[in-house]
Structures are given as structure tokens and as C-alpha cells.
Amino acid sequence: MADWSELQHDLLVLIARRINLIEDYLSFRTVCKSWHAVATKGNFNSDLPRVPWLMLAEDEHDDDRTCRKFFSLYNGMVLKKRIPGAVGKRCMESMGWLITLGKDEGEMSLLHPFSGVQIELPHQNTTVSYAFHRTFKPWIYISKAVLSANPCHTSDYVLVVAEGRFAHLSLWRPGDLLWTRIMEPTCKNVSDVVYFSGRLYTVSYGGYVRVYDVGGYEVKSHLITQTVPWIAGRYYILESLGSLFVVARRSSDIVPFRYDRERIPPRFITVEDDEEGALFMYRTNNFLVFEIDLDANEAIPTRDLGDKAFFLGASASLSVQASQFTGIRPNHIYFTDTNLNSCLYFDHGGGLDMGVFNLADGSIQPHYDGVSLSRFCPSIWVTPNPC
């Protein structure tokens, strides 16, 4: 029988360079020492598109809280990675980087979960009029964080965050000692933000889509359009194959439920308020999708994404081509729980309101059959990019 560990080094390098999925690449690394030796960043095509992993909530009862679990939609595997910099932190994500906020003190950093590289950020108290805009818990002060470029590839990037009680936009560039707020009267109540074709696009609560030119000293902005006004939920904005989309997420009122652990796959059962063991949550019930026509300044409703699949939540909103990835469904929206009220006020914390929404028929199915709850950082999407 052939000894796979004795394959020539040059042949192993050729094999490694033909691997496209990072899940397969990680499996390749574990075969033996000689295979692990060629599984370097330089031998892996890190520029290919990636499907996000679901980073599960920190297990506060685990003896080793530095170890986080990642669920792969591609093969259903749960992978473990030691990330000591994320312990006790609320995490958001953009381009494979975690934006972390300390649970108690509110300290902030950029953290690459797979390389361990960490970049300290100015404290949230360096934002404009912090005493007036501060939230009653420091870990909810930032509601969204998005990078303009990957810090693994360049030092010329900007981190933009929606911060404070009124979700103003503030910017940070490498070397800055404090946050710079965009001092535009319309630049508040921001639900989501995206860099697209060199400009900053936002969608605010109320469904207003605006564009900002932040390249110079004077910020210029204008209103593009309004989608659907004032829904009970959140708005998201993202780029997909050269087009701009806005998604409105509708949520139902808080309802009592019981988790049926005996059923495979598990499910939630609505119950009466006074039933023993009942928990409470709110549930996403619909998504409305709009393609933004930047020439006509119009929002065009659509229920057909074609081959595209959207990933929405506390992380930067993302689109992938489903046909490129096994296990990803086209014309579906993969979403995680973003209701911070559930973290703050429910005994079990947040993390139950997540699943896969079918735009064609409006149905919702689970994308993860387990339960992952947290009082400060429910599960989020993380793109597994080497650095």
C-alpha cells in the first residue's frame, strides 16, 4: 500500500494549489506532517470567493472559553479554533475580521480569528459627544462595522461603524487616535452600510438609501430613494455581482415558545404564555428585497435573486453565487439573530431567530440544527479568509 506521507514535496504543492474550499484545505493540513508543511497561505488561493461559516456563541460554561466553534454549511462539520482575543467580547465581522467590543469596558479591536493578528482601535469614548450618545451597555454601542478593504492585503483601508444611541456613522483609518464622525444631518439612524464602487452607501431605519463621498475633506451626500418605510425589523444593504440591493427584514411580536429537543431536526413550538418552561422570543417572518437602480434612483422590488444567496446579520452583509458552493441554495437568504433586546432581557439570551428564508415561497428552514445562545454575542457569519 502506498504511503501518502512520502509523496514528493513539489507534487504536494501542486495538489494544495488546486484546492479551492478552505474546509478541504484544513482537512488537507491534518493528514500528516509533510502535508501540513505545504499547507501555507502562499499555496492556497485566498482570492477565491468564500461561503461564510457560522461562528457559534461563546460557551460560558466551557472550561476553555478561548475555543470557538464554527459550523460549515458546505459539509455540516463543526470546526474548532482557539481565539483568546474574542473571550467575553461581542463580535461583528467584515471581510473575515472580527470587530470586538469588551463586554464590560467597551474596548475595541480588529481581530483576525484564524491568524491571531489583532489591531487595537480607539476606545468608543473617543467618538463625538460620547457622554450624550453612549448606550447603557458598552458592548451594544456599535451596531454595525464594515471595512472598505481587507487589512491583510493593504494598509489603505477605512473602518466605518454605526455608533451610539442614534446610530451615527464614524470612520477610523490606520494611525487615527480617535473616531471621526460624518457630520451630515442625514447621517444617523443607520441600519447598514456598504462600500460600493468607491463610495459609501447606507440604508437607514425608515428605508432611506443614501450615498456618501468620503474621499475628501468635505463629505458630499444625496438621497437615492426610499424602499419600504418603517418596518418592525432591520434593513440591510449589499453589493451583488455589480448591483446594489436593499433587504428589509420583518419580524413578529414577542411570542412564547418551547424548544422541541426530541425532534430531528429540532424545531420551535408556539405555546401558551402560562405553560411551564415556556421561553420568549421574536421571530423573523418575511424579507423584502429591492434592487437599487442608481441611474433612475429607484428601488425595484424582486422575489428572484437568480443564482445568488444573501448572508445577513450582525456581520457585513454578503452575497455569493450558490452554484459555486455545495449546500448553498440559490434565491435564499441566510440570516442570524440581530435582536439585542433578546440578549438584554431574555434569560436564555439571543440566538434563536436564525434560519434560511426561501424568497420563492416565503418558507423558513433552519441552517443549523443545534442551539447556540448568548447574553451578549449570538452566532454570527464569519468569512474564513487566511491572513
Side-chain angles (χ1 to χ4, degrees), residues 144-179:
K144 200 76 174 189
V146 174
L147 287 163
S148 65
N150 194 329
C152 294
H153 303 151
T154 179
S155 60
D156 184 17
Y157 65 89
V158 178
L159 176 65
V160 57
V161 298
E163 45 89 358
R165 289 189 294 135
F166 303 105
H168 288 275
L169 279 190
S170 286
L171 309 175
W172 175 84
R173 294 176 174 87
D176 289 353
L177 299 180
L178 46 78
W179 294 92

Side-chain angles (χ1 to χ4, degrees), residues 250-253 255 268 281-285 352-353 364:
R250 290 185 182 273
S251 301
S252 61
D253 294 331
V255 295
F268 305 108
M281 67 173 292
Y282 82 73
R283 171 68 62 85
T284 295
N285 55 39
L352 288 171
D353 185 30
I364 297 178

